[in-house]
Amino acid sequence: MKNPSKVANISVRALRTTQGKHVHVFSFFIKGADITRIAEISRVSRDASDSLKGFQRKEIQNHVKGIVQYLDRGDILFPNAIILALSPEVSFKQSRGPTPDGISDLAQIGTLSIPIREEGRRAAWIVDGQQRSLALSRTKNTQILVPVVAFISGDIDVQREQFILVNKARPLPVRLINELLPEIGVQLPRELSIRKIPSELCTLLNRDQSSPFFGLIRRMSQENSEKAVIIDTALIKVMTSSINNPLGALAPYRQSDDGSQDIDGMYRTMFLFWQTVREEFPDAWGKPPTRSRLMHSAGIQAVGVLMDRIMTRLHGRDDPKNEIRQSLRRLRPHCHWTSGTWEGLGLKWDEVQNVPKHVRGLADLLVRLDFNLSHRVA
């Protein structure tokens, strides 16, 4: 009679080696149908305290369906490896016996045992191969064996890091990568690290209840929020450009003497400018982009260019808030965020689209108007 307290396991022959800082890495084969019996799919979401959970995107049904149709054909080749993160509670028992002469001692062979538990308590997480794993759990071809590469880590940050690094060269949604980046504390490749600061600022602006953007930014983990009307990529583009442009409003905070980034300085600048934008255009703020082009990606990016022009000339001023207010107030009669036609563009307010020509044209118009009107006052 079986002991009811004994935990069921899946045991497989595996190779074990070590990478990084003594991290055990395994390579083995397993029945495809067993992947989702031992491993969780950690969906990206936010909990009640607005903390980011998980890292996986939503299921792509057509993609999964296509893989299932291929698997159901029977005698097929499916060598694509699934990557798993394993809890430290898995066990590995190395096989005994002498090593044959001439074989490089790069890995040890043995038996890897992984507990089988209900969803939410599993001892493994899928880092790469979510769609394939779902398809393998649904195919009629239940005996197909698939390769798995797995590493020991119960740390969600390490799992997110590997998820991003594995997927950065594939068609992974940019918005998903952007939202995950602020949660990663390890050293990232340069092309990812330069995207981390704007995404972190985006998260802060969306969380701070006093922020003009509080709850208005639509992120991958909060796609169903009715209040969120601004696509995060638009705001991230604004901040990325401002940081990298030597004349940008955020550029002075890019790097201090000790090599660190002044995130607080960037945040205060964004807060100050956009808070004033909200106050000067209250009828256009917080509405869906179909009702206000100020909340549209084109409007956000164009006003971002205006931010750089206005903020850089206010450096050292005693009352920058008032200066911003006066600049925007002069522009207000010429702006058509919710009705009318933009003179100089020849476009009705709802004809402005998120295409380079329209964004550039609207930004140039706002900057030109600001220059002419401010010099007229002077």
Side-chain angles (χ1 to χ4, degrees):
M1 183 176 179
K2 292 182 179 180
N3 183 354
S5 64
K6 188 176 181 180
V7 177
N9 293 277
I10 287 181
S11 297
V12 294
R13 300 288 282 175
L15 290 173
R16 180 185 68 181
T17 190
T18 303
Q19 291 185 349
K21 296 181 179 179
H22 309 294
V23 176
H24 287 312
V25 180
F26 301 91
S27 179
F28 57 91
F29 282 86
I30 192 173
K31 288 182 180 180
D34 286 336
I35 295 291
T36 52
R37 294 179 65 206
I38 61 172
E40 305 275 9
I41 297 176
S42 184
R43 303 284 190 201
V44 65
S45 62
R46 291 191 182 271
D47 61 17
S49 63
D50 203 33
S51 297
L52 191 66
K53 301 293 182 182
F55 49 86
Q56 287 281 7
R57 53 183 155 175
K58 296 178 181 179
E59 175 184 342
I60 305 174
Q61 293 183 358
N62 287 339
H63 187 190
V64 174
K65 183 178 179 181
I67 300 174
V68 171
Q69 290 174 345
Y70 173 72
L71 294 171
D72 283 348
R73 288 164 53 184
D75 295 330
I76 50 96
L77 182 65
F78 198 75
N80 312 72
I82 306 294
I83 299 180
L84 300 180
L86 300 175
S87 165
E89 64 187 299
V90 303
S91 63
F92 179 79
K93 185 176 182 180
Q94 186 174 341
S95 299
R96 298 180 179 180
T99 301
D101 294 337
I103 292 184
S104 298
D105 189 18
L106 302 178
Q108 303 83 45
I109 189 169
T111 302
L112 177 68
S113 295
I114 307 171
I116 300 174
R117 297 205 184 102
E118 68 272 16
E119 188 174 357
R121 296 185 58 250
R122 290 176 181 149
W125 300 266
I126 298 172
V127 172
D128 183 53
Q130 172 197 177
Q131 314 299 336
R132 280 170 282 147
S133 298
L134 289 171
L136 286 162
S137 70
R138 298 170 187 175
T139 180
K140 300 174 184 176
N141 191 359
T142 57
Q143 300 304 306
I144 185 171
L145 300 179
V146 295
V148 174
V149 175
F151 59 92
I152 298 288
S153 178
D155 187 343
I156 187 67
D157 287 342
V158 174
Q159 295 170 25
R160 285 172 175 157
E161 172 205 358
Q162 290 302 311
F163 175 70
I164 289 178
L165 294 178
V166 166
N167 286 285
K168 73 182 183 69
R170 302 182 186 181
L172 193 66
V174 172
R175 293 178 58 214
L176 179 55
I177 292 181
N178 284 338
E179 188 168 5
L180 291 173
L181 282 174
E183 310 293 332
I184 305 229
V186 299
Q187 185 67 37
L188 292 167
R190 184 178 182 278
E191 68 269 22
L192 290 177
S193 62
I194 60 178
R195 292 162 57 180
K196 183 174 180 178
I197 292 174
S199 187
E200 184 174 349
L201 287 168
C202 192
T203 299
L204 293 172
L205 288 166
N206 202 35
R207 286 181 178 177
D208 185 355
Q209 293 188 17
S210 63
S211 163
F213 292 106
F214 175 63
L216 294 179
I217 304 172
R218 191 188 310 164
R219 311 224 72 177
M220 285 285 286
S221 62
Q222 297 167 306
E223 287 288 6
N224 296 325
S225 172
E226 295 181 0
K227 181 182 177 183
V229 293
I230 300 171
I231 297 292
D232 50 5
T233 48
L235 201 56
I236 288 173
K237 281 183 180 179
V238 166
M239 293 184 283
T240 301
S241 176
S242 186
I243 291 170
N244 295 329
N245 181 356
L247 298 178
L250 305 183
Y253 309 100
R254 180 170 49 193
Q255 195 165 7
S256 58
D257 293 338
D258 62 0
S260 62
Q261 313 288 341
D262 186 358
I263 303 293
D264 288 341
M266 294 182 189
Y267 184 81
R268 289 193 302 269
T269 299
M270 287 291 295
F271 189 104
L272 176 63
F273 179 81
W274 291 94
Q275 176 78 3
T276 314
V277 171
R278 183 178 73 170
E279 292 169 357
E280 292 304 311
F281 298 99
D283 293 338
W285 192 264
K287 294 181 177 179
T290 53
R291 295 170 52 200
S292 169
R293 280 316 196 243
L294 179 57
M295 300 287 95
H296 193 277
S297 293
I300 292 291
Q301 292 176 77
V303 176
V305 175
L306 179 67
M307 174 186 74
D308 286 342
R309 296 302 179 95
I310 291 178
M311 297 303 288
T312 50
R313 73 168 181 254
L314 299 183
H315 182 69
R317 297 288 182 91
D318 294 334
D319 190 0
K321 172 81 171 181
N322 184 59
E323 296 283 351
I324 300 169
R325 180 184 293 110
Q326 294 304 319
S327 296
L328 295 176
R329 197 160 288 180
R330 288 191 292 267
L331 280 172
R332 194 163 57 190
H334 304 275
C335 292
H336 300 280
W337 301 118
T338 61
S339 63
T341 300
W342 288 91
E343 296 180 15
L345 289 182
L347 294 173
K348 293 181 180 179
W349 74 274
D350 57 353
E351 291 177 340
V352 176
Q353 301 299 325
N354 185 29
V355 294
K357 180 179 180 180
H358 287 189
V359 174
R360 186 170 55 251
L362 182 55
D364 289 347
L365 176 62
L366 292 174
V367 169
R368 187 168 62 252
L369 285 169
D370 173 66
F371 178 83
N372 292 335
L373 293 171
S374 61
H375 279 72
R376 187 182 301 173
V377 172

